[in-house]
Amino acid sequence: MVCESSLSEIHEGNDVLLYLDRKRTYLVKVEQEKSFHTHKGFVQLEELVGKQYGTRIASSMNIEFVALKPTLRDHIFKMQRKTQITYPKDISLILMFSDAGPGNRVVEAGTGTGALTTSLACHVRPTGHVYSYEVRTKFMESALKNLKRAGVSEYVTVKNKDITEGIDETEVDAVVLDLATPWLVIPHAYAALKGSGVLVSFSPTIDQVVKTVEALKENGFVAIETVECLMRGMQIERGKTRPQTLMTGHTGYITHARKALK
Ligand SMILES: C[S@@+](CC[C@H](N)C(=O)[O-])C[C@H]1O[C@@H](n2cnc3c(N)ncnc32)[C@H](O)[C@@H]1O
C-alpha cells in the first residue's frame, strides 16, 4: 500500500520499485513463483520475501537491481493514465494549501486518473475520507482500479456525477478542483464547506483562473491567492553543475481561498 512508511521488510503481496537507473524503474507486486522479465534478464520476485527494502538483487543476466519501497510519487508516475494527471510538484502545494490531514473530509473533482485523489487519501487516512466526483464513467472505472492498486480505495468514495450540478456533502474541510470549469463549482463549494474551510483549484489556463477568482469574490471567499510552481532540475557534476537544459515549462496555476461566513 502507498504511504506505509513504517514497513521495512518485504512481505508477499507488497509493492516494490525495482530500480535499474533513473530512467528504468518497475513497480511490481511480490508474489511466490512470480518472476519479472526485463531486457536485462528476469528477477525472481519470491527471493525478495523477508529481505529489507533497499536490498540489491541480481537478474538472470547478473544485472543488479535495487528493491526500493515505492513512494507516493512512484505510485503516481506508474499509474495507468486515461487523463492528464496533476503533477507531483503541484500536488505537493495543493496538499499544503488544502491542509489535508488525518480525519479531514475532502471533496474533489474531477477524479481523472486518480493521482491527486490517491495523494489526498494518503493524507486524510486513516480516519478521514475523500469524496471524488467524476463525470466520465470510463475515467471513474480506471481511477477505481488505480486507487485499489495503491491500497487507498477504502478512504475514497468515487461518484459518477457532474459536480457543477451540486455537492452532496456538507461541513467538509476542503474542496479541491482540477476540472475544465471550476468557476461553476464555487457556489456549491461554498455550501459544502465548513466556515473557514479551504478551496483549492488547479487550472492550466489563466482565463480559467480569472473566472474562478471572480466567482470566489462573488461567493464569500477571502484570502484568495493564485500561484504557479516552476520546478527546475539540476545537473550535478563537478565543474559542470548547472540547471538542466530541459524542464516542464508549464502545468497550471493553483488558486486557493478560504470560506468566510456571511
Ligand atoms: C485533468 S483531469 C483530472 C486529473 C486528476 N487530478 C489526476 O490527478 O488524475 C480532469 C477530470 O475532470 C473530469 N470532469 C470535467 N468536468 C467535470 C465535472 N463537471 N464534474 C466531474 N468531473 C468532471 C474529466 O472527465 C476529467 O477526468
Side-chain angles (χ1 to χ4, degrees):
M1 185 214 269
V2 68
C3 310
E4 264 185 327
S5 53
S6 57
L7 211 63
S8 57
E9 191 180 287
I10 303 169
H11 298 277
E12 197 182 342
N14 285 163
D15 289 319
V16 161
L17 189 78
L18 285 179
Y19 176 93
L20 179 59
D21 57 38
R22 269 200 58 221
K23 293 210 167 129
R24 288 173 293 182
T25 58
Y26 310 92
L27 182 66
V28 295
K29 199 172 271 305
V30 172
E31 279 161 359
Q32 292 292 344
E33 292 169 33
K34 194 175 147 195
S35 49
F36 180 71
H37 292 254
T38 74
H39 62 296
K40 298 284 182 191
F42 63 87
V43 173
Q44 290 289 10
L45 296 175
E46 63 189 4
E47 284 177 21
L48 290 170
V49 175
K51 301 262 171 61
Q52 299 289 302
Y53 274 107
T55 198
R56 294 167 196 263
I57 182 166
S59 74
S60 56
M61 288 167 70
N62 209 25
I63 304 291
E64 195 173 77
F65 289 77
V66 184
L68 298 176
K69 181 158 55 181
T71 62
L72 174 58
R73 181 172 176 271
D74 296 325
H75 275 280
I76 287 172
F77 278 133
K78 297 295 181 192
M79 280 180 168
Q80 294 282 327
R81 296 186 195 183
K82 291 275 191 270
T83 67
Q84 175 62 271
I85 62 162
T86 317
Y87 270 52
K89 73 174 176 77
D90 295 311
I91 290 179
S92 311
L93 277 180
I94 291 169
L95 289 170
M96 175 60 79
F97 291 138
S98 65
D99 205 29
N104 282 15
R105 291 170 67 243
V106 178
V107 166
E108 185 217 13
T111 318
T113 293
L116 181 53
T117 321
T118 300
S119 312
L120 289 166
C122 233
H123 283 73
V124 303
R125 68 191 273 274
T127 44
H129 204 80
V130 180
Y131 303 87
S132 188
Y133 289 65
E134 173 54 58
V135 77
R136 304 262 306 263
T137 313
K138 266 195 173 163
F139 295 163
M140 183 190 79
E141 285 164 359
S142 157
L144 282 170
K145 282 188 197 150
N146 284 333
L147 296 172
K148 200 164 176 224
R149 176 78 177 87
V152 293
S153 45
E154 66 183 287
Y155 311 111
V156 182
T157 303
V158 183
K159 301 183 161 194
N160 195 190
K161 283 189 167 182
D162 180 345
I163 196 167
T164 65
E165 290 176 359
I167 295 175
D168 304 329
E169 295 71 30
T170 54
E171 291 294 300
V172 302
D173 299 283
V175 174
V176 177
L177 304 174
D178 176 7
L179 77 173
T181 55
W183 59 91
L184 299 180
V185 187
I186 302 303
H188 306 306
Y190 188 90
L193 282 165
K194 286 176 178 167
S196 179
V198 192
L199 179 125
V200 187
S201 175
F202 176 88
S203 293
T205 76
I206 209 74
D207 314 79
Q208 292 166 303
V209 173
V210 172
K211 288 182 189 169
T212 305
V213 169
E214 283 172 359
L216 287 166
K217 286 180 182 165
E218 283 162 17
N219 284 276
F221 284 87
V222 294
I224 305 165
E225 193 185 349
T226 300
V227 299
E228 180 182 13
C229 173
L230 301 177
M231 194 168 88
R232 191 164 67 163
M234 298 294 286
Q235 147 190 315
I236 311 292
E237 206 182 323
R238 194 164 285 198
K240 294 183 190 167
T241 298
R242 62 174 184 81
Q244 282 170 359
T245 311
L246 300 179
M247 67 184 278
T248 302
H250 178 70
T251 53
Y253 306 99
I254 301 168
T255 298
H256 59 105
R258 309 290 298 274
K259 170 176 170 170
L261 294 174
K262 284 176 181 160

